[in-house]
Amino acid sequence: MKNSFSGITFHEKDVLQAGKFIAGITLLFFAFNFLLSLVPLEFFEFFYAFFTLEFLKLIGFEGVLEFQEPILVHLSGIALPLGFSYLCTGLLEMSLVWSAVLSSFGIDLRKRLVGLGIGTLVLVGFNLVRIIVSVLIIAWFGLNAGNFSHDLLFRVFLFVTIAGFYYYWFKWATKK
C-alpha cells in the first residue's frame, strides 16, 4: 500500500524497514553501552591520555600522567592538569556508529563487520586528533580559547564522525 506525506510517497515496507532500523539502533546502543560499562572507564581514558601525551612529547612538550578518575595529564607550560573523562573517550560515538552499522539489515553481514572495524579505527583516529588539537589550542592561545574550541570541536566531532562515517560507509556498502 502506498501512502503520501507532504508529497513524498512511501510503501508500508519502507516504514517497516525504517522502524526495524531505529529499533535495532536503540537496542544495540543500549547493549553496547552496557558491555562497554563492564570495562573500567579508566582504561579508555588512559588510552587517549597516554597516546595524546606521547604525541605531544614528540613535538616538544613535557608532561606526566596521573592515574585517577578522570585521568590527568600535567603538561609543562599549562598551569592546570588536563582531565580525560568519559566524553573524551568517544565511547558514545562508537556505540552509536556500531549500532547504526549493525542495524543496516539490508546490507551483507560481511560489509557490516568491515564497517565496524573501519568505523572503530576512524573514530579513534579522529578522536585523538580532536584531543590533540584542543590541547595545542590551550597551550598556544590559553584556557578560554581552549574551552571554546574544545566544546566546538566536540560537537563537530559528534556530527562529522557519526553522520560522515555512516554516510560514506553506507555509500560504499550499497554500491553495486
Side-chain angles (χ1 to χ4, degrees):
M1 179 177 174
K2 287 185 178 181
N3 293 308
S4 182
F5 179 74
S6 294
I8 299 172
T9 303
F10 56 92
H11 294 88
E12 287 178 9
K13 179 183 165 191
D14 296 330
V15 173
L16 184 61
Q17 191 173 9
K20 191 174 164 183
F21 178 73
I22 291 170
I25 285 179
T26 303
L27 293 173
L28 285 170
F29 182 76
F30 285 119
F32 285 131
N33 274 300
F34 172 73
L35 292 173
L36 288 169
S37 75
L38 298 177
V39 179
L41 183 58
E42 293 87 358
F43 171 79
F44 298 106
E45 294 170 347
F46 180 80
F47 174 85
Y48 284 102
F50 175 81
F51 283 106
T52 298
L53 180 59
E54 291 305 306
F55 177 82
L56 292 171
K57 285 179 180 177
L58 289 174
I59 62 171
F61 285 84
E62 294 179 20
V64 294
L65 289 175
E66 183 178 341
F67 196 83
Q68 64 172 47
E69 176 52 38
I71 303 294
L72 297 177
V73 173
H74 298 271
L75 286 175
S76 59
I78 298 178
L80 299 172
L82 306 171
F84 284 72
S85 66
Y86 171 75
L87 291 177
C88 297
T89 64
L91 293 177
L92 175 72
E93 296 88 344
M94 210 157 314
S95 292
L96 190 52
V97 165
W98 290 345
S99 300
V101 167
L102 286 179
S103 295
S104 300
F105 298 112
I107 296 174
D108 180 60
L109 180 60
R110 194 181 89 241
K111 288 184 176 181
R112 288 187 275 160
L113 294 175
V114 168
L116 289 182
I118 293 173
T120 301
L121 293 174
V122 166
L123 288 169
V124 168
F126 270 86
N127 201 30
L128 276 169
V129 169
R130 177 189 66 83
I131 292 168
I132 291 167
V133 168
S134 294
V135 172
L136 292 174
I137 290 172
I138 290 169
W140 295 336
F141 301 107
L143 195 53
N144 287 337
N147 282 335
F148 174 76
S149 68
H150 178 270
D151 290 345
L152 180 66
L153 287 173
F154 176 73
R155 286 171 178 79
V156 168
F157 176 73
L158 271 173
F159 179 75
V160 168
T161 56
I162 293 169
F165 173 77
Y166 187 80
Y167 171 79
Y168 285 107
W169 170 80
F170 189 83
K171 192 174 176 179
W172 168 80
T174 58
K175 192 182 279 184
K176 299 282 185 215

